[in-house]
Amino acid sequence: MSIIQVTGTGKSVAPDRTPFYGARVPSEIKSIIKPINKLDQDVFRKILKLIVASLEGNQVEYDDIKQLETNTLTEEILVLFFTGLTTLLKSALKHSASSLKQEMFKDDLVELQIPNIFHDDLTSVVFGSRRPKIDSHSNDSRPRFARLENLKWRVDVAISTSVLNRVLEPSVQMEMTLSDGSIKTFEVPTSKFHELRYNVAFILKEMEDLEKRSILKIKD
Amino acid sequence: MAAFMFTVTPSIQKAVSLINNIEKSKISLLLTRILSKLYIVESRPFTDEEEEKLQGALGVSSEELELVLQTLEFFVQQAAYHSAKPQVLSTQLKELQIDDDKVDCIAEVWTNGAYGVINRLKSKGLACKKLEDINWRLNLQLAQSTKVKLKAPNTLLELALKSDDDESKERIRLDFSHEELYQFYQQLETIQQQLDTLFK
C-alpha cells in the first residue's frame, strides 16, 4: 500500500513510504511545530538530555523540568516540548537502525518543519552512541511472564524408608526462584526429569529452526 | 537369609485362628483390596457398610473383623518392607500356624500384586510437591509498543505440580528467551551427569 503524503505547505511529495511517525502526524508533535521556532538551542539540548535519560530507564524528576523554567518559557510550554519531543524520538526509535535511514529521518524532520539547527542533535540521539543502551532498555521492559532467576537442585538416593527397607532410587529436588519473587520447591521423579530434559531440548531445537527460517522470510 | 518378619504375639495367634476359619476365596478378596489401598493416606480398605457386610458374611464380630483386617495388612506391610519373595513369605506364615492352603492363597495374591506395590512405595516421597506434567508453547514475538519490527522467539514453559496427598495442584509458568532456555538446559545437563555417575 503506498501513501502519497500531502503536506500543508506542499513543499515536497514523499516517495512511497510512510514517515517514521506514522501516517498522520501525532497531535503531540503537531502542537510543538509552532512554538519550536522560538526555542533556544541550549534549552532544547537540556530537554533532550532529560528525554534520553528517561528512555534509558532513569526517572525524570519534576524538579528537573521546573529548573528550566524562565520568564519566556513557562512550565506549560516546557511540558509541551517535553511531550512532543519524547513522542518524536519514541516513534523514531521504534524502527530498527537498518530500516530507518538517517537521510529518511532528516527528510521527515524537514516535513515536520522542525528547524534545521535541531536536526543534528535529534539525529545523534537516534543514530548515535546512546542508541544501544536505549534499545536494551526497551528490550528489558517487554511484558513477560515470570522468569527463572535461580535454580538450585540436588540429587538424592533414598536408601531406606519407613515403608521399604531397600529403595535405592535416585530423585531430583529443585528450588526455583522466580523473577516475581516467589520460591518454588518441588521434587522431580527420575522419569519426569527425563521428560523435562527432552522437552527443553526439543524447544531449543525448534527455536533454532525458527530463527533460521524467519530471518529469510521476514525482512527488516 | 531374611530376618523373621513376624514375632508370635497373642493377638497374632488369635488372628491366625480366626483366619483359619475363613474360606480361601474370601481371604484372597480381602487381601487384594488391602494391597491396593496400602499406605494410601487417609483411606481404609473397606468402607463402614462394607465392613458390616463382611461381619455377616464371615460370621465374626466387629472387633474380630478389625483384628483380621489389621493382621492381614500387617503381613503385607512387612512383606513389602523386606521385599520378601513369595516363598519366604509362605515359609514364615506357615511358622505362624496358618493352614497351608490359606498360606498358598496369600502367597499367590502377593506374587501378583508385589511388583506394583513396591514400585509405588519406592516413588513415594516426603516432599510436598512433585512434578507431574510439562507443557510448553513457543512464540515468535514480532512487535511491541516500543519496537515495531522484532524477531524474538520466546517460550512459555508450564510445570504442573501435584502434592502427594492430592491436596492441591499448582502450575508454575516460566518465560524463557533463547539464551535463558539454553542456560536452563545446561543446568539440566549437569544434573543428568550426576545421575549418570550414580549408575556407573
Side-chain angles (χ1 to χ4, degrees), chain A residues 43 46 65-75 78:
Chain A
V43 182
K46 287 196 187 129
I65 304 186
K66 195 91 175 134
Q67 274 176 2
L68 298 172
E69 196 178 1
T70 65
N71 287 337
T72 44
L73 221 53
T74 61
E75 196 181 312
L78 259 180

Side-chain angles (χ1 to χ4, degrees), chain A residues 179-192:
Chain A
S179 59
D180 62 356
S182 56
I183 301 183
K184 313 275 182 191
T185 321
F186 55 92
E187 190 186 314
V188 183
T190 331
S191 56
K192 285 296 166 189

Side-chain angles (χ1 to χ4, degrees), chain B residues 125-144:
Chain B
L126 294 172
C128 26
K129 294 199 177 78
K130 276 209 184 137
L131 180 64
E132 191 188 31
D133 211 6
I134 302 154
N135 296 311
W136 55 269
R137 88 173 187 211
L138 178 61
N139 297 320
L140 182 66
Q141 186 177 4
L142 290 180
Q144 62 189 45

Side-chain angles (χ1 to χ4, degrees), chain A residues 93-94 135 138 142 144-147 163-165 178 184 187 192-194 196-197 199 202 211, chain B residues 39 80-81 127 129-132 134 136 141 144-145 147-148 153 170 174-175 177-178 180 189 192:
Chain A
L93 290 167
K94 263 194 200 179
D135 278 345
S138 69
R142 268 170 39 200
R144 300 187 69 182
F145 283 99
R147 264 157 296 150
V163 297
L164 222 47
N165 201 15
L178 306 183
K184 313 275 182 191
E187 190 186 314
K192 285 296 166 189
F193 177 74
H194 292 312
L196 178 65
R197 206 170 131 250
N199 275 305
F202 189 73
E211 281 176 346
Chain B
Y39 286 126
Y81 183 78
K129 294 199 177 78
K130 276 209 184 137
L131 180 64
E132 191 188 31
I134 302 154
W136 55 269
Q141 186 177 4
Q144 62 189 45
S145 48
K147 273 245 166 272
V148 163
E170 202 187 320
L174 302 170
D175 194 323
S177 67
H178 195 161
E180 290 165 0
E189 280 290 291
Q192 180 64 38

Side-chain angles (χ1 to χ4, degrees), chain A residues 15-194:
Chain A
D16 284 339
R17 67 171 185 87
T18 37
F20 69 86
Y21 45 83
R24 281 213 198 132
V25 183
S27 53
E28 295 100 349
I29 302 184
K30 259 195 204 155
S31 50
I32 62 167
I33 293 181
K34 277 216 182 115
I36 203 164
N37 292 312
K38 302 187 199 132
L39 186 60
D40 204 17
Q41 191 165 28
D42 264 340
V43 182
F44 174 78
R45 286 212 168 122
K46 287 196 187 129
I47 299 181
L48 215 58
K49 269 208 186 111
L50 287 177
I51 297 180
V52 170
S54 78
L55 287 173
E56 287 178 355
N58 307 317
Q59 272 277 41
V60 175
E61 300 292 325
Y62 173 64
D63 293 329
D64 297 330
I65 304 186
K66 195 91 175 134
Q67 274 176 2
L68 298 172
E69 196 178 1
T70 65
N71 287 337
T72 44
L73 221 53
T74 61
E75 196 181 312
E76 272 181 42
I77 302 191
L78 259 180
V79 166
L80 212 66
F81 279 130
F82 190 80
T83 322
L85 288 171
T86 313
T87 316
L88 191 118
L89 284 174
K90 273 195 178 169
S91 354
L93 290 167
K94 263 194 200 179
H95 303 269
S96 63
S98 43
S99 66
L100 179 67
K101 303 280 189 318
Q102 259 192 1
E103 308 84 43
M104 298 198 270
F105 181 60
K106 284 203 170 140
D107 285 341
D108 288 333
L109 287 180
V110 170
E111 292 287 327
L112 286 172
Q113 302 168 50
I114 308 271
N116 285 354
I117 43 172
F118 300 141
H119 284 196
D120 283 328
D121 292 322
L122 289 169
T123 322
S124 75
V125 171
V126 176
F127 296 99
S129 55
R130 303 293 278 266
R131 182 67 188 266
K133 223 176 163 208
I134 299 176
D135 278 345
S136 73
H137 176 252
S138 69
N139 231 359
D140 292 336
S141 47
R142 268 170 39 200
R144 300 187 69 182
F145 283 99
R147 264 157 296 150
L148 184 65
E149 292 281 316
N150 195 17
L151 174 69
K152 289 195 207 157
W153 55 269
R154 58 187 260 182
V155 174
D156 287 319
V157 178
I159 302 178
S160 181
T161 67
S162 52
V163 297
L164 222 47
N165 201 15
R166 276 287 168 276
V167 181
L168 296 176
E169 275 280 316
S171 75
V172 181
Q173 271 190 37
M174 289 195 181
E175 186 184 290
M176 292 186 171
T177 314
L178 306 183
S179 59
D180 62 356
S182 56
I183 301 183
K184 313 275 182 191
T185 321
F186 55 92
E187 190 186 314
V188 183
T190 331
S191 56
K192 285 296 166 189
F193 177 74
H194 292 312

Side-chain angles (χ1 to χ4, degrees), chain A residues 96 98-99 215 217-220, chain B residues 149-151:
Chain A
S96 63
S98 43
S99 66
I215 286 173
K217 279 194 183 163
I218 305 175
K219 283 196 170 164
D220 262 333
Chain B
K149 279 198 179 113
L150 195 70
K151 284 191 304 272

